[in-house]
PDB file of all heavy atoms in Angstrom:
ATOM      1  N   LEU A 134       8.736  -3.435  -3.725  1.00  0.00           N
ATOM      2  CA  LEU A 134       8.999  -2.057  -4.151  1.00  0.00           C
ATOM      3  C   LEU A 134       8.514  -1.060  -3.104  1.00  0.00           C
ATOM      4  O   LEU A 134       9.225  -0.103  -2.755  1.00  0.00           O
ATOM      5  CB  LEU A 134       8.306  -1.778  -5.486  1.00  0.00           C
ATOM      6  CG  LEU A 134       9.146  -1.895  -6.755  1.00  0.00           C
ATOM      7  CD1 LEU A 134       8.271  -1.689  -7.981  1.00  0.00           C
ATOM      8  CD2 LEU A 134      10.297  -0.894  -6.745  1.00  0.00           C
ATOM      9  N   ILE A 135       7.307  -1.280  -2.602  1.00  0.00           N
ATOM     10  CA  ILE A 135       6.786  -0.397  -1.556  1.00  0.00           C
ATOM     11  C   ILE A 135       7.702  -0.439  -0.347  1.00  0.00           C
ATOM     12  O   ILE A 135       7.999   0.600   0.270  1.00  0.00           O
ATOM     13  CB  ILE A 135       5.353  -0.823  -1.161  1.00  0.00           C
ATOM     14  CG1 ILE A 135       4.383  -0.524  -2.304  1.00  0.00           C
ATOM     15  CG2 ILE A 135       4.904  -0.099   0.113  1.00  0.00           C
ATOM     16  CD1 ILE A 135       4.208   0.943  -2.620  1.00  0.00           C
ATOM     17  N   GLY A 136       8.164  -1.622   0.012  1.00  0.00           N
ATOM     18  CA  GLY A 136       9.065  -1.752   1.151  1.00  0.00           C
ATOM     19  C   GLY A 136      10.355  -0.967   0.979  1.00  0.00           C
ATOM     20  O   GLY A 136      10.924  -0.464   1.943  1.00  0.00           O
ATOM     21  N   ARG A 137      10.804  -0.842  -0.255  1.00  0.00           N
ATOM     22  CA  ARG A 137      12.020  -0.069  -0.507  1.00  0.00           C
ATOM     23  C   ARG A 137      11.763   1.435  -0.495  1.00  0.00           C
ATOM     24  O   ARG A 137      12.631   2.217  -0.114  1.00  0.00           O
ATOM     25  CB  ARG A 137      12.608  -0.463  -1.859  1.00  0.00           C
ATOM     26  CG  ARG A 137      13.214  -1.853  -1.907  1.00  0.00           C
ATOM     27  CD  ARG A 137      13.935  -2.061  -3.221  1.00  0.00           C
ATOM     28  NE  ARG A 137      14.517  -3.390  -3.299  1.00  0.00           N
ATOM     29  CZ  ARG A 137      15.251  -3.824  -4.329  1.00  0.00           C
ATOM     30  NH1 ARG A 137      15.472  -3.012  -5.342  1.00  0.00           N
ATOM     31  NH2 ARG A 137      15.748  -5.045  -4.344  1.00  0.00           N
ATOM     32  N   LEU A 138      10.581   1.826  -0.934  1.00  0.00           N
ATOM     33  CA  LEU A 138      10.323   3.244  -1.169  1.00  0.00           C
ATOM     34  C   LEU A 138       9.843   4.003   0.063  1.00  0.00           C
ATOM     35  O   LEU A 138      10.124   5.192   0.207  1.00  0.00           O
ATOM     36  CB  LEU A 138       9.297   3.407  -2.302  1.00  0.00           C
ATOM     37  CG  LEU A 138       9.725   2.864  -3.677  1.00  0.00           C
ATOM     38  CD1 LEU A 138       8.577   3.003  -4.673  1.00  0.00           C
ATOM     39  CD2 LEU A 138      10.970   3.570  -4.184  1.00  0.00           C
ATOM     40  N   VAL A 139       9.087   3.352   0.955  1.00  0.00           N
ATOM     41  CA  VAL A 139       8.505   4.070   2.098  1.00  0.00           C
ATOM     42  C   VAL A 139       9.434   3.991   3.311  1.00  0.00           C
ATOM     43  O   VAL A 139      10.231   3.069   3.420  1.00  0.00           O
ATOM     44  CB  VAL A 139       7.116   3.512   2.468  1.00  0.00           C
ATOM     45  CG1 VAL A 139       6.184   3.541   1.276  1.00  0.00           C
ATOM     46  CG2 VAL A 139       7.218   2.088   3.027  1.00  0.00           C
ATOM     47  N   PRO A 140       9.319   4.949   4.239  1.00  0.00           N
ATOM     48  CA  PRO A 140      10.097   4.865   5.480  1.00  0.00           C
ATOM     49  C   PRO A 140       9.740   3.594   6.248  1.00  0.00           C
ATOM     50  O   PRO A 140       8.583   3.162   6.261  1.00  0.00           O
ATOM     51  CB  PRO A 140       9.668   6.117   6.261  1.00  0.00           C
ATOM     52  CG  PRO A 140       9.153   7.047   5.221  1.00  0.00           C
ATOM     53  CD  PRO A 140       8.530   6.186   4.159  1.00  0.00           C
ATOM     54  N   ARG A 141      10.722   3.028   6.906  1.00  0.00           N
ATOM     55  CA  ARG A 141      10.520   1.749   7.577  1.00  0.00           C
ATOM     56  C   ARG A 141       9.421   1.824   8.634  1.00  0.00           C
ATOM     57  O   ARG A 141       8.642   0.885   8.796  1.00  0.00           O
ATOM     58  CB  ARG A 141      11.832   1.294   8.223  1.00  0.00           C
ATOM     59  CG  ARG A 141      11.744  -0.075   8.894  1.00  0.00           C
ATOM     60  CD  ARG A 141      13.094  -0.512   9.418  1.00  0.00           C
ATOM     61  NE  ARG A 141      13.018  -1.820  10.028  1.00  0.00           N
ATOM     62  CZ  ARG A 141      14.052  -2.446  10.576  1.00  0.00           C
ATOM     63  NH1 ARG A 141      15.246  -1.867  10.561  1.00  0.00           N
ATOM     64  NH2 ARG A 141      13.910  -3.633  11.118  1.00  0.00           N
ATOM     65  N   GLU A 142       9.343   2.938   9.358  1.00  0.00           N
ATOM     66  CA  GLU A 142       8.353   3.058  10.424  1.00  0.00           C
ATOM     67  C   GLU A 142       6.929   3.249   9.878  1.00  0.00           C
ATOM     68  O   GLU A 142       5.964   3.257  10.648  1.00  0.00           O
ATOM     69  CB  GLU A 142       8.708   4.222  11.351  1.00  0.00           C
ATOM     70  CG  GLU A 142       8.627   5.617  10.741  1.00  0.00           C
ATOM     71  CD  GLU A 142       9.896   6.025  10.015  1.00  0.00           C
ATOM     72  OE1 GLU A 142      10.798   5.155   9.850  1.00  0.00           O
ATOM     73  OE2 GLU A 142      10.008   7.204   9.624  1.00  0.00           O
ATOM     74  N   ARG A 143       6.791   3.360   8.566  1.00  0.00           N
ATOM     75  CA  ARG A 143       5.462   3.504   7.960  1.00  0.00           C
ATOM     76  C   ARG A 143       5.169   2.353   6.999  1.00  0.00           C
ATOM     77  O   ARG A 143       4.348   2.469   6.093  1.00  0.00           O
ATOM     78  CB  ARG A 143       5.359   4.847   7.231  1.00  0.00           C
ATOM     79  CG  ARG A 143       5.573   6.048   8.142  1.00  0.00           C
ATOM     80  CD  ARG A 143       5.360   7.355   7.422  1.00  0.00           C
ATOM     81  NE  ARG A 143       3.954   7.547   7.076  1.00  0.00           N
ATOM     82  CZ  ARG A 143       3.516   8.604   6.379  1.00  0.00           C
ATOM     83  NH1 ARG A 143       4.371   9.530   5.982  1.00  0.00           N
ATOM     84  NH2 ARG A 143       2.233   8.720   6.106  1.00  0.00           N
ATOM     85  N   LEU A 144       5.849   1.218   7.225  1.00  0.00           N
ATOM     86  CA  LEU A 144       5.699   0.082   6.332  1.00  0.00           C
ATOM     87  C   LEU A 144       4.268  -0.451   6.321  1.00  0.00           C
ATOM     88  O   LEU A 144       3.727  -0.773   5.261  1.00  0.00           O
ATOM     89  CB  LEU A 144       6.671  -1.036   6.732  1.00  0.00           C
ATOM     90  CG  LEU A 144       6.601  -2.301   5.878  1.00  0.00           C
ATOM     91  CD1 LEU A 144       6.938  -1.992   4.433  1.00  0.00           C
ATOM     92  CD2 LEU A 144       7.537  -3.373   6.438  1.00  0.00           C
ATOM     93  N   THR A 145       3.634  -0.554   7.491  1.00  0.00           N
ATOM     94  CA  THR A 145       2.262  -1.063   7.530  1.00  0.00           C
ATOM     95  C   THR A 145       1.347  -0.196   6.684  1.00  0.00           C
ATOM     96  O   THR A 145       0.505  -0.693   5.927  1.00  0.00           O
ATOM     97  CB  THR A 145       1.737  -1.103   8.983  1.00  0.00           C
ATOM     98  OG1 THR A 145       2.613  -1.892   9.786  1.00  0.00           O
ATOM     99  CG2 THR A 145       0.342  -1.703   9.031  1.00  0.00           C
ATOM    100  N   GLU A 146       1.513   1.117   6.803  1.00  0.00           N
ATOM    101  CA  GLU A 146       0.689   2.037   6.024  1.00  0.00           C
ATOM    102  C   GLU A 146       0.933   1.873   4.530  1.00  0.00           C
ATOM    103  O   GLU A 146      -0.012   1.841   3.728  1.00  0.00           O
ATOM    104  CB  GLU A 146       0.979   3.478   6.456  1.00  0.00           C
ATOM    105  CG  GLU A 146       0.086   4.510   5.794  1.00  0.00           C
ATOM    106  CD  GLU A 146       0.404   5.929   6.253  1.00  0.00           C
ATOM    107  OE1 GLU A 146       1.300   6.099   7.106  1.00  0.00           O
ATOM    108  OE2 GLU A 146      -0.247   6.854   5.743  1.00  0.00           O
ATOM    109  N   GLY A 147       2.203   1.746   4.148  1.00  0.00           N
ATOM    110  CA  GLY A 147       2.521   1.570   2.735  1.00  0.00           C
ATOM    111  C   GLY A 147       1.946   0.281   2.169  1.00  0.00           C
ATOM    112  O   GLY A 147       1.339   0.270   1.093  1.00  0.00           O
ATOM    113  N   LEU A 148       2.129  -0.822   2.896  1.00  0.00           N
ATOM    114  CA  LEU A 148       1.598  -2.100   2.443  1.00  0.00           C
ATOM    115  C   LEU A 148       0.073  -2.099   2.439  1.00  0.00           C
ATOM    116  O   LEU A 148      -0.555  -2.726   1.577  1.00  0.00           O
ATOM    117  CB  LEU A 148       2.121  -3.226   3.336  1.00  0.00           C
ATOM    118  CG  LEU A 148       3.626  -3.516   3.240  1.00  0.00           C
ATOM    119  CD1 LEU A 148       4.031  -4.544   4.289  1.00  0.00           C
ATOM    120  CD2 LEU A 148       3.992  -4.006   1.846  1.00  0.00           C
ATOM    121  N   ALA A 149      -0.515  -1.409   3.399  1.00  0.00           N
ATOM    122  CA  ALA A 149      -1.978  -1.344   3.446  1.00  0.00           C
ATOM    123  C   ALA A 149      -2.531  -0.606   2.236  1.00  0.00           C
ATOM    124  O   ALA A 149      -3.616  -0.929   1.742  1.00  0.00           O
ATOM    125  CB  ALA A 149      -2.439  -0.669   4.733  1.00  0.00           C
ATOM    126  N   TRP A 150      -1.793   0.392   1.738  1.00  0.00           N
ATOM    127  CA  TRP A 150      -2.252   1.084   0.535  1.00  0.00           C
ATOM    128  C   TRP A 150      -2.233   0.158  -0.671  1.00  0.00           C
ATOM    129  O   TRP A 150      -3.014   0.325  -1.614  1.00  0.00           O
ATOM    130  CB  TRP A 150      -1.405   2.327   0.262  1.00  0.00           C
ATOM    131  CG  TRP A 150      -1.973   3.538   0.916  1.00  0.00           C
ATOM    132  CD1 TRP A 150      -1.555   4.152   2.069  1.00  0.00           C
ATOM    133  CD2 TRP A 150      -3.110   4.291   0.472  1.00  0.00           C
ATOM    134  NE1 TRP A 150      -2.364   5.223   2.353  1.00  0.00           N
ATOM    135  CE2 TRP A 150      -3.322   5.332   1.396  1.00  0.00           C
ATOM    136  CE3 TRP A 150      -3.972   4.185  -0.620  1.00  0.00           C
ATOM    137  CZ2 TRP A 150      -4.360   6.256   1.254  1.00  0.00           C
ATOM    138  CZ3 TRP A 150      -5.005   5.094  -0.763  1.00  0.00           C
ATOM    139  CH2 TRP A 150      -5.178   6.129   0.172  1.00  0.00           C
ATOM    140  N   MET A 151      -1.348  -0.836  -0.651  1.00  0.00           N
ATOM    141  CA  MET A 151      -1.388  -1.847  -1.709  1.00  0.00           C
ATOM    142  C   MET A 151      -2.712  -2.597  -1.639  1.00  0.00           C
ATOM    143  O   MET A 151      -3.376  -2.837  -2.658  1.00  0.00           O
ATOM    144  CB  MET A 151      -0.216  -2.810  -1.550  1.00  0.00           C
ATOM    145  CG  MET A 151       1.141  -2.168  -1.784  1.00  0.00           C
ATOM    146  SD  MET A 151       1.386  -1.699  -3.495  1.00  0.00           S
ATOM    147  CE  MET A 151       1.780  -3.295  -4.209  1.00  0.00           C
ATOM    148  N   GLY A 152      -3.111  -2.962  -0.421  1.00  0.00           N
ATOM    149  CA  GLY A 152      -4.400  -3.615  -0.246  1.00  0.00           C
ATOM    150  C   GLY A 152      -5.549  -2.695  -0.592  1.00  0.00           C
ATOM    151  O   GLY A 152      -6.572  -3.126  -1.151  1.00  0.00           O
ATOM    152  N   THR A 153      -5.387  -1.411  -0.273  1.00  0.00           N
ATOM    153  CA  THR A 153      -6.418  -0.430  -0.599  1.00  0.00           C
ATOM    154  C   THR A 153      -6.615  -0.339  -2.110  1.00  0.00           C
ATOM    155  O   THR A 153      -7.747  -0.279  -2.610  1.00  0.00           O
ATOM    156  CB  THR A 153      -6.032   0.947  -0.038  1.00  0.00           C
ATOM    157  OG1 THR A 153      -6.017   0.882   1.382  1.00  0.00           O
ATOM    158  CG2 THR A 153      -7.018   2.015  -0.479  1.00  0.00           C
ATOM    159  N   GLY A 154      -5.497  -0.329  -2.837  1.00  0.00           N
ATOM    160  CA  GLY A 154      -5.595  -0.302  -4.294  1.00  0.00           C
ATOM    161  C   GLY A 154      -6.334  -1.525  -4.820  1.00  0.00           C
ATOM    162  O   GLY A 154      -7.216  -1.411  -5.686  1.00  0.00           O
ATOM    163  N   ILE A 155      -5.993  -2.689  -4.295  1.00  0.00           N
ATOM    164  CA  ILE A 155      -6.674  -3.920  -4.707  1.00  0.00           C
ATOM    165  C   ILE A 155      -8.159  -3.825  -4.382  1.00  0.00           C
ATOM    166  O   ILE A 155      -9.023  -4.195  -5.190  1.00  0.00           O
ATOM    167  CB  ILE A 155      -6.058  -5.142  -3.993  1.00  0.00           C
ATOM    168  CG1 ILE A 155      -4.644  -5.430  -4.523  1.00  0.00           C
ATOM    169  CG2 ILE A 155      -6.956  -6.367  -4.168  1.00  0.00           C
ATOM    170  CD1 ILE A 155      -4.615  -6.051  -5.896  1.00  0.00           C
ATOM    171  N   GLY A 156      -8.479  -3.321  -3.178  1.00  0.00           N
ATOM    172  CA  GLY A 156      -9.876  -3.244  -2.742  1.00  0.00           C
ATOM    173  C   GLY A 156     -10.717  -2.313  -3.595  1.00  0.00           C
ATOM    174  O   GLY A 156     -11.817  -2.660  -4.029  1.00  0.00           O
ATOM    175  N   ILE A 157     -10.197  -1.105  -3.826  1.00  0.00           N
ATOM    176  CA  ILE A 157     -10.927  -0.154  -4.662  1.00  0.00           C
ATOM    177  C   ILE A 157     -11.072  -0.702  -6.080  1.00  0.00           C
ATOM    178  O   ILE A 157     -12.130  -0.602  -6.708  1.00  0.00           O
ATOM    179  CB  ILE A 157     -10.212   1.208  -4.682  1.00  0.00           C
ATOM    180  CG1 ILE A 157     -10.264   1.850  -3.289  1.00  0.00           C
ATOM    181  CG2 ILE A 157     -10.843   2.135  -5.715  1.00  0.00           C
ATOM    182  CD1 ILE A 157      -9.513   3.154  -3.193  1.00  0.00           C
ATOM    183  N   GLY A 158      -9.994  -1.306  -6.573  1.00  0.00           N
ATOM    184  CA  GLY A 158     -10.043  -1.880  -7.905  1.00  0.00           C
ATOM    185  C   GLY A 158     -11.053  -3.006  -8.015  1.00  0.00           C
ATOM    186  O   GLY A 158     -11.820  -3.082  -8.986  1.00  0.00           O
ATOM    187  N   ALA A 159     -11.061  -3.904  -7.029  1.00  0.00           N
ATOM    188  CA  ALA A 159     -12.008  -5.014  -7.048  1.00  0.00           C
ATOM    189  C   ALA A 159     -13.441  -4.494  -7.019  1.00  0.00           C
ATOM    190  O   ALA A 159     -14.332  -5.034  -7.687  1.00  0.00           O
ATOM    191  CB  ALA A 159     -11.760  -5.940  -5.864  1.00  0.00           C
ATOM    192  N   ALA A 160     -13.654  -3.418  -6.252  1.00  0.00           N
ATOM    193  CA  ALA A 160     -14.988  -2.827  -6.186  1.00  0.00           C
ATOM    194  C   ALA A 160     -15.399  -2.270  -7.542  1.00  0.00           C
ATOM    195  O   ALA A 160     -16.503  -2.532  -8.039  1.00  0.00           O
ATOM    196  CB  ALA A 160     -15.005  -1.709  -5.141  1.00  0.00           C
ATOM    197  N   ALA A 161     -14.499  -1.500  -8.152  1.00  0.00           N
ATOM    198  CA  ALA A 161     -14.808  -0.928  -9.458  1.00  0.00           C
ATOM    199  C   ALA A 161     -14.986  -2.017 -10.510  1.00  0.00           C
ATOM    200  O   ALA A 161     -15.913  -1.975 -11.332  1.00  0.00           O
ATOM    201  CB  ALA A 161     -13.695   0.035  -9.872  1.00  0.00           C
ATOM    202  N   GLY A 162     -14.094  -2.997 -10.480  1.00  0.00           N
ATOM    203  CA  GLY A 162     -14.159  -4.074 -11.469  1.00  0.00           C
ATOM    204  C   GLY A 162     -15.445  -4.870 -11.381  1.00  0.00           C
ATOM    205  O   GLY A 162     -16.085  -5.156 -12.403  1.00  0.00           O
ATOM    206  N   SER A 163     -15.842  -5.249 -10.156  1.00  0.00           N
ATOM    207  CA  SER A 163     -17.067  -6.040  -9.999  1.00  0.00           C
ATOM    208  C   SER A 163     -18.298  -5.223 -10.381  1.00  0.00           C
ATOM    209  O   SER A 163     -19.240  -5.743 -10.988  1.00  0.00           O
ATOM    210  CB  SER A 163     -17.193  -6.547  -8.557  1.00  0.00           C
ATOM    211  OG  SER A 163     -17.271  -5.468  -7.639  1.00  0.00           O
ATOM    212  N   SER A 164     -18.286  -3.933 -10.034  1.00  0.00           N
ATOM    213  CA  SER A 164     -19.425  -3.078 -10.353  1.00  0.00           C
ATOM    214  C   SER A 164     -19.564  -2.874 -11.857  1.00  0.00           C
ATOM    215  O   SER A 164     -20.658  -3.028 -12.424  1.00  0.00           O
ATOM    216  CB  SER A 164     -19.272  -1.726  -9.647  1.00  0.00           C
ATOM    217  OG  SER A 164     -20.388  -0.909  -9.885  1.00  0.00           O
TER     218      SER A 164
END
């Protein structure tokens, strides 16, 4: 979905925000 929604030249940034969401969530969840 992210790949479809973001501009192609910003794909790394879009996919990285998916990882960012996981990271922030994992931090909040573990805490």
